[in-house]
Amino acid sequence: MTDEFDVEVDADDLTPMTDGEVVLGDPSVVVDDLHVTYRILGTRRKAVEAAPQGRMRKLVGRSLGSTGGVTEIHAVRGVSFVARHGESIGIVGTNGSGKSTTLQALAGLIQPSQGSVYVAGIPSLLGVSAVLVRKLTGARNIMIGGLALGLTKDEVEERFDEIVEFADIGDFVHLPMTTYSAGMAARLRFAISTAAVPDVLMIDEALATGDAAFRERSRQRVDEIRRQAGTVFVVSHSLASIKAMCTRAIWIDKGLVRMDGPAEDVTAAYHEHTRARSGPAKG
Amino acid sequence: MTTDATNDATAGMTPAEIAERYGLHQMGVRPGLREYVRSLWTRRDFMLVLARSRAEAENQNTYLGRVWDILNPTLNAAVYVLIFGLLLKTRDGMTNVIGFIVVGTFMYKFFQDSVTGAARAIPRNLNLVRSLHFPRAVLPISSVLAELAMLLPALAVMAGFVLVSDRWMLHLDSTPNWRWLLIVPAVLLLFMFSTGAGFVLARLGARWPDVLNFLPFVLRIGMYASGVIFSIDHYLAGGGVLATIMNYQPVAVYLNLARQAMLDEPSAQLSGELWLVGLAWAVVTLVVGFVIFWRDEARYGRD
């Protein structure tokens, strides 16, 4: 019983994967020795070294502590895999292991510092921050998101009602997104991103804030996308969600692929690993 | 599920070969210039919607709302007219001091807000950049377009200022006249130039955020160097290299073109030569700025 690790129990409500229906197709995503390095401004790894003596020097040291420093973070250190049409892949790993960064590189939103990523069609990433433009209404965000995804104005208007209905936000659609709850924003983003069936959809923790009903609906949407030969990536800390939604899982640890295989096996191994690490207090 | 036909088919192929064979394209690399322009053109609706949203959201949290689009440049002009036109009396070499300063400040404010907005275009829209895939040039362009949308009602106010000051203070019957229509190409050229300059600043602002702190000072110097509130000709009457540079630098050219359209000033008489200079500045800056912005395309939003 590996599910005991999960904080949320909602995921257990999900109906099981409808496996076997989807035949895996040609490669849709090829990742070849991907490296990503970040640059963080205004920080120093060792801001305070030897504490300076004297009041004046302390003051100067403190105010210069964050001046001119650039920290490089090597978040992804050589990830390679091939994904295929009709496949849904869960990505697991501890915080800071490079999962989200990998997805952003897959989506073409950050540039690899080394290696390459090849993707079929236009990828769509559902990130942690679900809001596109905070100040604007949900309706405007639907238009902006749809147009950015390459739909025409008419196509967006055509799908508008469907998007609002799927997001289940009712009259809130005419209010600025500052008034939305995290779950509402996430639902709207999910609805926008899947309005045009994407070739490659990446979901980065975007479902974590949704309620059980929404998660079930989004799982169905993911299945639908797979059936239409899309490829779906899911980053989640809920192993039950990964098992329910994914056929395959990749475990990323310290920027490297530690394990790649059937979702069942990888989540089990990952669970074993985290339980061992959290020590006997947990077990 | 890991052993099936496709797996055998790709065995022994390099990733690049697999990608080529199945028609995948590489992510995180800059598209070709022609391809980039084409994809930008297909997102023209996106640019317009972003620009409109930005123009509408600008004064969303105020009681007067969009009235500020008009009130803001009016008050701005009023301050300069009061200080420079009436108190400091820099009106030498001008016929209509109010018209001169109003046209100058309205036009310069458009340029200033355009390049400032463009410089912030990437950092301000980081959410969009980090979650959706689209040509990033959409952001600086729509930012300048939003300023253009806010300039249009302000132009009516500007025309009002010129009309009132010409007719009631100087008793010129020649105002308004057909020459006023030249304000349209003048604004268009300034828009092209501002967009080009905005491209360069958008790239700088995305890479070195410090530029955003530095920019206001450059723009303030630019304002005094462009003859916004006084006549360059009058102060550099002797001619020489400095006068030539000051008169032919782009912002001064566009202010002069706008004044040629709206006013009857000795320092801004209709000049075909100056229109050609303005056209050249606009085209060159737009093209060069666009290429400079495009060269960094794959890196925006990375940090």
Side-chain angles (χ1 to χ4, degrees):
Chain A
M1 186 55 196
T2 47
D3 286 356
E4 65 191 26
F5 177 71
D6 287 316
V7 187
E8 333 129 55
V9 276
D10 293 346
D12 293 331
D13 306 339
L14 296 173
T15 52
M17 277 273 309
T18 43
D19 215 4
E21 283 177 37
V22 181
V23 182
L24 290 185
D26 293 337
S28 59
V29 176
V30 176
V31 181
D32 175 26
D33 189 33
L34 174 71
H35 289 254
V36 180
T37 311
Y38 268 107
R39 197 179 59 126
I40 309 280
L41 285 186
T43 45
R44 285 217 175 121
R45 220 158 255 215
K46 286 179 191 165
V48 188
E49 280 147 10
Q53 297 298 306
R55 200 171 288 174
M56 201 56 208
R57 248 185 264 170
K58 253 185 206 165
L59 191 70
V60 172
R62 211 174 297 156
S63 42
L64 290 182
S66 64
T67 305
V70 177
T71 306
E72 295 245 321
I73 296 175
H74 200 158
V76 181
R77 302 159 180 264
V79 166
S80 302
F81 61 86
V82 175
R84 266 143 346 115
H85 288 285
E87 205 167 22
S88 59
I89 302 176
I91 297 185
V92 295
T94 50
N95 294 127
S97 55
K99 305 184 297 287
S100 298
T101 312
T102 304
L103 277 201
Q104 282 191 309
L106 255 61
L109 301 170
I110 50 176
Q111 192 186 26
S113 49
Q114 194 189 316
S116 41
V117 175
Y118 305 90
V119 176
I122 298 175
S124 176
L125 173 70
L126 278 165
V128 184
S129 93
V131 178
L132 294 178
V133 189
R134 186 164 288 282
K135 268 186 181 176
L136 303 178
T137 64
R140 229 355 121 64
N141 272 277
I142 292 175
M143 186 50 91
I144 287 174
L147 291 175
L149 286 172
L151 297 176
T152 66
K153 241 176 168 173
D154 290 341
E155 284 171 333
V156 179
E157 269 156 22
E158 214 171 274
R159 292 164 204 205
F160 187 86
D161 291 338
E162 192 200 330
I163 293 172
V164 176
E165 197 189 326
F166 186 87
D168 194 21
I169 50 172
D171 287 341
F172 269 91
V173 74
H174 299 297
L175 292 177
M177 285 195 74
T178 39
T179 62
Y180 286 34
S181 73
M184 285 163 71
R187 291 197 312 256
L188 184 59
R189 253 320 290 289
F190 188 87
I192 293 172
S193 294
T194 57
V197 173
D199 300 292
V200 179
L201 176 66
M202 303 168 196
I203 305 172
D204 185 1
E205 289 289 352
L207 308 179
T209 45
D211 52 28
F214 172 66
R215 254 185 272 182
E216 174 56 25
R217 259 185 304 161
S218 46
R219 195 197 59 75
Q220 284 170 5
R221 198 42 89 89
V222 165
D223 269 359
E224 221 173 276
I225 291 168
R226 286 178 50 225
R227 237 169 282 146
Q228 296 183 40
T231 305
V232 183
F233 288 88
V234 179
V235 166
S236 178
H237 286 287
S238 157
L239 296 185
S241 287
I242 299 260
K243 278 198 290 184
M245 293 172 97
C246 303
T247 48
R248 172 182 164 190
I250 295 174
W251 172 6
I252 293 184
D253 190 29
K254 298 188 182 103
L256 287 164
V257 174
R258 177 147 173 180
M259 191 176 172
D260 181 353
E264 195 73 33
D265 301 353
V266 175
T267 48
Y270 175 65
H271 174 64
E272 208 44 54
H273 170 76
T274 45
R275 207 171 46 177
R277 256 185 25 156
S278 61
K282 177 107 190 186
Chain B
M1 68 159 219
T2 43
T3 51
D4 60 311
T6 335
N7 239 19
D8 298 339
T10 56
M13 289 169 79
T14 68
E17 284 166 357
I18 299 175
E20 164 122 37
R21 168 150 177 197
Y22 295 101
L24 312 184
H25 50 263
Q26 195 170 0
M27 285 284 121
V29 291
R30 185 180 69 198
L33 194 53
R34 188 175 302 184
E35 160 75 18
Y36 192 62
V37 173
R38 200 193 53 77
S39 67
L40 201 54
W41 176 246
T42 61
R43 306 293 166 96
R44 57 193 183 280
D45 275 343
F46 182 36
M47 279 186 249
L48 291 176
V49 167
L50 265 187
R52 229 181 87 198
S53 307
R54 167 124 198 278
E56 283 172 10
E58 188 75 2
N59 290 303
Q60 203 182 36
N61 295 326
T62 58
Y63 283 107
L64 291 180
R66 297 211 63 186
V67 175
W68 280 111
D69 289 354
I70 291 173
L71 215 50
N72 206 317
T74 307
L75 291 174
N76 189 37
V79 168
Y80 286 114
V81 167
L82 184 71
I83 296 175
F84 291 94
L86 305 178
L87 296 180
L88 293 178
K89 300 200 195 300
T90 53
R91 60 178 96 174
D92 301 343
M94 301 179 196
T95 311
N96 178 351
V97 61
I98 293 180
F100 191 96
I101 292 179
V102 165
V103 172
T105 50
F106 272 51
M107 288 298 157
Y108 194 76
K109 189 167 189 307
F110 167 69
F111 168 71
Q112 179 179 325
D113 291 351
S114 293
V115 291
T116 309
R120 293 181 199 282
I122 304 283
R124 193 182 49 224
N125 291 299
L126 218 50
N127 265 353
L128 270 181
V129 172
R130 290 210 172 138
S131 50
L132 296 168
H133 196 70
F134 58 89
R136 308 308 188 202
V138 160
L139 296 174
I141 296 177
S142 66
S143 163
V144 182
L145 273 175
E147 295 300 334
L148 187 65
M150 289 187 259
L151 174 69
L152 295 182
L155 281 182
V157 175
M158 185 175 94
F161 264 109
V162 175
L163 184 69
V164 168
S165 54
D166 264 2
R167 284 191 86 95
W168 276 276
M169 294 168 66
L170 298 163
H171 305 288
L172 292 174
D173 294 332
S174 55
T175 304
N177 55 51
W178 289 108
R179 216 179 54 227
W180 275 23
L181 289 180
L182 283 176
I183 195 68
V184 176
V187 166
L188 200 69
L189 291 179
L190 179 56
F191 168 73
M192 287 166 68
F193 173 76
S194 303
T195 309
F199 278 137
V200 178
L201 284 164
R203 176 170 171 179
L204 288 175
R207 191 85 186 116
W208 293 289
D210 306 57
V211 169
L212 302 175
N213 292 17
F214 193 61
L215 191 58
F217 302 103
V218 176
L219 285 167
R220 211 170 304 162
I221 288 179
M223 179 169 150
Y224 292 103
S226 307
V228 172
I229 40 192
F230 52 81
S231 161
I232 298 177
D233 268 1
H234 182 78
Y235 284 91
L236 295 171
V241 182
L242 185 62
T244 310
I245 294 175
M246 294 280 272
N247 275 317
Y248 287 94
Q249 59 100 342
V251 180
V253 170
Y254 296 119
L255 293 184
N256 196 309
L257 296 183
R259 286 185 181 126
Q260 287 181 24
M262 302 298 295
L263 306 163
D264 187 17
E265 291 290 333
S267 60
Q269 290 298 316
L270 269 187
S271 146
E273 181 212 28
L274 213 55
W275 281 89
L276 285 179
V277 172
L279 181 66
W281 272 122
V283 172
V284 169
T285 312
L286 187 60
V287 171
V288 171
F290 182 74
V291 171
I292 287 176
F293 183 84
W294 160 78
R295 289 186 64 88
D296 222 12
E297 173 72 7
R299 297 232 308 242
Y300 299 122
R302 188 176 161 197
D303 43 22

